[in-house]
Each structure stands twice: as structure tokens, then as C-alpha cells.
Amino acid sequence: MRQAEQDTKEKILSAALDLFCVDGYSTVSVRDIGKAVGIKESSIYYHFKNKEDILYSLFHKSEQWTQVRKEQFIQALESVPKVERENFIAAGIAYLEGYLLEEKINKLIRMLTIEKQRNSEAAQLYRQLLFSVPLDHHKKVFSFMIDKGWMKGDDVEQLAAEYQSKVLYVFHKYFSGTFEATSEERTLAQLELSSLLGRFFSQYIGVGGH
């Protein structure tokens, strides 16, 4: 695909995501997307079969975004000699800020929050983004840490669920509205999550981690 065509395709996806996350997939038309991009409706069909094709392309993009972040984290973890409290908390903050609040992923979550009530595919992806994928990642990380002697316990599923529940609690408490969070709300969220993860660290990692 030529660069100009790829650029246009990315603009269509970006515009569609902007519209879907505010108005919902069902109420946005291909014409609306074309208008947002500044091209004719017919031009959309050169790049995508229909609106559903745009939606599934966004789903596929989300899988790519999450996979890259997981691989980067695992590589970083494998390169350290031990896990310090500050680094553990910083990783949790980075998960909140760099994944759940990352612009594209957050817009996708907001869209799925609307669409999961009427679209089974959207409901499935919502569960993947907020539960299945993160939990599998956490289990892999905690298994690695237990094997290294950095972490207490042997029930990685329970550990992963407890960790994820703390992050999602803060995420929904501060960022579940339709408006962008203020800098003050972000600061409060980081402080509360730091406190929760600090207690998690003390309970499960404190002895072996440092």
C-alpha cells in the first residue's frame, strides 16, 4: 500500500474512533466519518468494505497496541536484578497512564462501554482490554517474580486479580466520566494507586523484592 493511501486509512480510523467513543458505533454513519476526515463517503469504501470493517480494524489495532506494551514490559522486567518498591509502584502508574489512559486505547474503552450493551463483539473486546489481557499479563509477570524468589505466594491467578482490581478501582473512580480528567484528578488518582500498590508490595513482595 502506498504511503498516501496508508495515511488516509489511518486518518479514517482515527476519525472513526473519535466519533465512536462519543456517540457510539451504532449512531455514527460512514458519511459522518468521511465528513470528519474531509473526504467523500464513497472514498471510505476504497479503504474499507463498510462501517463494520472499520470497527474490526480498530479491534485489530487494539490488539497490536497491547501486545507491544506487554512485550516492552517483560523485556524491562527481565533486565533488572530485583524489584524495588518505587519501581513496582511506578510500573502500576505507567499501566494506568500508558495503557488505560493512553489516548487511543482509552477512546476504544469508552466506545466499548457504550457498544457492549448491544454488540457481543464489543462486549468481548471490552472484557479482553480490561480483564483477560491484563490478567494474563499480570499472571506471567508474577509467575516470573515468584520463580525468581522476588514474590511470596503461589496462586498467581489470585494475585493477578487482586492487583488488577486495585488498578481498575482507581481507573473507574477517577476516569469513568465522558470528560477528560483534570490534572488534579490525575494527581489524586496516582496518589491513591501508589498507596494501594504500596500495600500490595508490602504484603507480597516486601521480603523477597528488596
Side-chain angles (χ1 to χ4, degrees), residues 73 77 81-84 88 135 137-164 166 196-210:
F73 184 88
L77 179 64
K82 59 182 177 179
V83 177
E84 302 284 359
F88 181 81
L135 284 171
H137 174 67
H138 300 333
K139 285 189 284 187
K140 185 175 181 180
V141 169
F142 293 154
S143 292
F144 177 85
M145 292 174 63
I146 291 171
D147 290 343
K148 285 282 190 178
W150 296 346
M151 190 171 196
K152 295 176 287 186
D154 55 9
D155 189 344
V156 292
E157 189 163 341
Q158 183 271 325
L159 290 168
E162 183 176 340
Y163 179 90
Q164 181 69 358
K166 297 179 187 303
L196 292 171
L197 295 183
R199 290 199 288 272
F200 183 93
F201 183 93
S202 296
Q203 182 175 358
Y204 296 110
I205 309 170
V207 173
H210 68 146

Side-chain angles (χ1 to χ4, degrees), residues 46-170:
Y46 176 78
H47 301 278
F48 299 96
K49 297 176 186 177
N50 47 39
K51 189 174 72 167
E52 187 177 38
D53 190 26
I54 296 174
L55 181 65
Y56 285 122
S57 294
L58 287 170
F59 289 174
H60 180 65
K61 282 278 188 182
S62 73
E63 294 174 350
Q64 294 177 328
W65 299 331
T66 55
Q67 185 61 33
V68 168
R69 281 164 175 76
K70 288 191 297 180
E71 290 174 356
Q72 289 173 340
F73 184 88
I74 293 297
Q75 289 173 1
L77 179 64
E78 291 175 345
S79 68
V80 298
K82 59 182 177 179
V83 177
E84 302 284 359
R85 179 188 181 91
E86 292 77 13
N87 293 337
F88 181 81
I89 293 174
I93 298 298
Y95 169 47
L96 174 67
E97 292 282 348
Y99 177 72
L100 293 173
L101 296 178
E102 192 277 331
E103 183 179 11
K104 292 178 180 178
I105 293 177
N106 187 252
K107 286 179 179 179
L108 189 60
I109 291 172
R110 286 159 58 191
M111 180 200 76
L112 294 171
T113 301
I114 299 171
E115 288 304 312
K116 66 185 176 70
Q117 306 299 328
R118 50 198 174 201
N119 183 310
S120 60
E121 292 282 350
Q124 181 179 0
L125 184 58
Y126 179 85
R127 290 192 294 270
Q128 288 177 1
L129 283 177
L130 291 182
F131 299 97
S132 303
V133 172
L135 284 171
D136 286 344
H137 174 67
H138 300 333
K139 285 189 284 187
K140 185 175 181 180
V141 169
F142 293 154
S143 292
F144 177 85
M145 292 174 63
I146 291 171
D147 290 343
K148 285 282 190 178
W150 296 346
M151 190 171 196
K152 295 176 287 186
D154 55 9
D155 189 344
V156 292
E157 189 163 341
Q158 183 271 325
L159 290 168
E162 183 176 340
Y163 179 90
Q164 181 69 358
S165 69
K166 297 179 187 303
V167 178
L168 288 184
Y169 165 74
V170 172

Side-chain angles (χ1 to χ4, degrees), residues 20 25-30 33 49-55:
F20 291 162
Y25 168 80
S26 300
T27 60
V28 174
S29 68
V30 173
I33 298 170
K49 297 176 186 177
N50 47 39
K51 189 174 72 167
E52 187 177 38
D53 190 26
I54 296 174
L55 181 65

